[in-house]
Amino acid sequence: MTALFDAVPAATTTAGPRPRPRIIGLDISLSSTGVCLPDGSTYRIKTRDVDADYRLVVIRDHIRRALIRHQPLHLAVLEDLPVGAKSAGLTGMAQGAVRAELADAGVPRALISPATLKCFACDYGRADKRQMADAAYLAAGATFPGDLTPKGHGGDMCDAWWLRCAGHDWWDDPLFTLPDAQRARLSKAKWPVGVAR
C-alpha cells in the first residue's frame, strides 16, 4: 500500500541523531481513559460507576505505574476539559488525579482542546471518532482494535495517540508529515513554558 504521508526522518545534530523525546498522550475520562505510551502503543483504563470515588484511585494508580515504567518522560499531552458543566466536573476529578501524578513525577504537561486536536488530525474541528481513526490509519497505519463501538462511540485510544503525535510535533520531532495548516492549529494548545526542547 502506498503511504499518503511521508515519514519524517529523526532530527539530527552535529553530534548525530537527536534522541526522540519520550511523550505520553492521555485522553482522560472517569469511565474510560485512553493512554498512548512513548512507543506508540495504546490501551484504555476502564472504571465502573459502582466503584464510586475508587475510580479515581484506579486511574491514578494506572498512570503512576505508566510513569514509573516509561520514565524519563519529557512531556504529557492531555485533552483539555470539556465545556459542559457536568462533563467538565466528572472529567476534572480524574484529570486532577492525573495532574497530581504528573507533578509528582516532574513531567511537564500540555492541554489541547478536542476541537484543536480534531483540526490537527483531520483539518475539521467537528470530526467524529471514525474520521479520527481513519486519519490515524492514513497518516501512520495506526489501528486501535476495540476502540470504537458499532455506533461510533469511544475512540479514547485514538485520541490519546493523536495527543502524543501533537506533542511530538510541538517538540519539533513530527512522527509524519501533515499539511502546514493542520500543524499550525497546535498554536492554540496550552504548551508548557520553559521546557528545553
Side-chain angles (χ1 to χ4, degrees):
M1 173 187 281
T2 303
L4 296 182
F5 297 91
D6 296 327
V8 176
T12 58
T13 66
T14 54
R18 183 176 76 172
R20 176 150 272 168
R22 296 178 57 73
I23 297 173
I24 189 170
L26 300 170
D27 181 22
I28 300 169
S29 161
L30 195 54
S31 60
S32 180
T33 290
V35 179
C36 183
L37 298 172
D39 65 2
S41 61
T42 59
Y43 66 94
R44 184 184 299 114
I45 304 168
K46 295 283 286 180
T47 65
R48 305 173 305 165
D49 289 344
V50 70
D51 293 327
D53 285 349
Y54 186 71
R55 299 164 88 179
L56 299 172
V57 176
V58 170
I59 294 167
R60 181 201 66 197
D61 289 352
H62 273 275
I63 297 301
R64 180 177 291 167
R65 285 192 295 274
L67 295 178
I68 291 169
R69 185 173 296 135
H70 298 282
Q71 65 179 321
L73 284 175
H74 297 96
L75 180 68
V77 185
L78 287 61
E79 188 167 272
D80 208 349
L81 293 174
V83 294
K86 183 177 180 182
S87 295
L90 293 174
T91 305
M93 289 189 293
Q95 198 171 102
V98 170
R99 286 191 194 191
E101 285 301 315
L102 294 171
D104 278 349
V107 179
R109 61 118 180 104
L111 296 172
I112 300 180
S113 73
T116 296
L117 187 66
K118 291 173 181 182
C119 285
F120 170 66
C122 300
D123 197 27
Y124 179 53
R126 294 184 180 180
D128 63 24
K129 300 293 187 181
R130 171 55 55 201
Q131 289 167 315
M132 293 286 284
D134 289 347
Y137 183 77
L138 290 173
T143 59
F144 312 96
D147 197 32
L148 284 178
T149 67
K151 293 183 178 181
H153 299 295
D156 312 303
M157 292 188 288
C158 179
D159 285 352
W161 185 87
W162 276 111
L163 289 162
R164 173 180 171 263
C165 293
H168 275 276
D169 202 273
W170 176 76
W171 203 279
D172 199 24
D173 180 48
L175 300 175
F176 42 79
T177 301
L178 283 176
D180 289 343
Q182 285 173 238
R183 298 181 70 219
R185 303 295 182 105
L186 294 180
S187 65
K188 294 183 177 183
K190 300 169 189 168
W191 298 104
V193 176
V195 174
R197 295 184 281 161

